[in-house]
Amino acid sequence: QVQLVESGGGLVQPGGSLRLSCVASGSIFRIYAMGWYRQSPGKQRELVATITTTRSTNYAASVKGRFTISRDNAKNTVYLQMNDLKPEDTAVYYCRANWGLEIYWGRGTQVTVSS
């Protein structure tokens, strides 16, 4: 009962910035947490950042201090501001929502950090 659509991915140079957006639709009032995960070839999908309805946040150690997760409840949107990007940040980034007792995933957006 929830649909998630990511946007904002692309190609950026090392040290550059990108902002990812995830728009949720459906029975959005049952979402109590949202987050961003990423996956690169040959690796498991890993947590990047999460945010709850009370705006409590959690970050992976590898992105802490560089990435910021936020939400705009009026627009049903969660953002991931990514600064000082590094080649190792290259991955497909997925939006995730905790909806009641279930988990919903977006289709992902590609982020490539390269010269």
Side-chain angles (χ1 to χ4, degrees), residues 15-27:
S17 298
L18 284 174
R19 188 184 71 162
L20 306 183
S21 299
C22 175
V23 179
S25 61
S27 301

Side-chain angles (χ1 to χ4, degrees), residues 26-100:
S27 301
I28 57 175
F29 50 84
R30 294 187 63 183
I31 297 175
Y32 64 89
M34 296 186 70
W36 290 95
Y37 290 69
R38 67 186 182 186
Q39 187 169 22
S40 57
K43 297 183 179 180
Q44 291 185 313
R45 187 172 298 185
E46 64 177 354
L47 180 148
V48 177
T50 60
I51 187 167
T52 69
T53 54
T54 60
R55 288 183 167 82
S56 176
T57 58
N58 183 44
Y59 295 91
S62 59
V63 307
K64 191 173 298 183
R66 299 188 297 121
F67 292 9
T68 302
I69 189 171
S70 62
R71 65 193 301 165
D72 186 335
N73 291 335
K75 297 181 178 180
N76 304 318
T77 302
V78 63
Y79 303 95
L80 184 67
Q81 179 65 46
M82 305 184 294
N83 298 326
D84 191 25
L85 283 161
K86 306 178 184 299
E88 48 264 45
D89 295 319
T90 296
V92 177
Y93 284 70
Y94 297 91
C95 182
R96 191 184 83 161
N98 292 85
W99 183 87

